Amino acid sequence: MGLFKEFKEFAVKGNVMDMAIGVVIGGAFGKIVTSLVSDLIMPLIGAATGGLNFTDWKWVVRPEVAEQVNEAGEVIQQAVPALTLNYGNFLQVIFDFLIIAFSIFLVVKGINNMKAKFEKPAEPEAPAAPAGPTQEELLTEIRDLLKNK
């Protein structure tokens, strides 16, 4: 029963719940940014660059082979799909990531600025007490006074 109790305490702690909420909100935020990039930003970039679309960029490693049939209608060779490396889609995902990272940076920066405005300003440090003479200086002064008598 101790293991269940420990798990319950762990799962109900504020940090775990905050993290779970952050994951859900982050997923929704990611969808919003992906839509922003693919539906608003990339069409503008495409229009500015004459129809450029990253997701269509690919490198064909092996071209597609169509199915071959003889006169009798028998299949001689099965169709083979093309083998491609879709680096354009990869570039699109990197672009999405950079926008998401920059957006999160701006949100965190804004939250930190708001925290700084609402937090109580740190009290200025009291000026340090003036340093008095050291023991050696006092003893030297006493010695000099005794010599003069």
Side-chain angles (χ1 to χ4, degrees), residues 27-78:
F29 184 71
K31 289 179 183 179
I32 291 170
V33 173
T34 300
S35 176
L36 171 76
V37 171
S38 62
D39 298 334
L40 298 176
I41 295 175
M42 291 312 291
L44 292 175
I45 291 175
T49 58
L52 178 66
N53 186 359
F54 286 132
T55 55
D56 292 338
W57 291 3
K58 59 186 163 193
W59 180 51
V60 179
V61 177
R62 182 185 66 212
E64 178 181 8
V65 176
E67 184 177 73
Q68 295 180 1
V69 181
N70 64 9
E71 294 83 26
E74 298 172 343
V75 176
I76 298 172
Q77 182 177 357
Q78 295 287 333

Side-chain angles (χ1 to χ4, degrees), residues 2 4 10 23-25 42 48 50 52-53 55 64 66 80 88 92 95 98 108 126 137 146 149:
F4 180 72
F10 168 77
V23 167
V24 170
I25 291 175
M42 291 312 291
L52 178 66
N53 186 359
T55 55
E64 178 181 8
V80 179
Q92 179 70 38
F95 193 67
L98 292 175
V108 170
E137 292 172 339
L146 288 174
K149 281 190 175 187

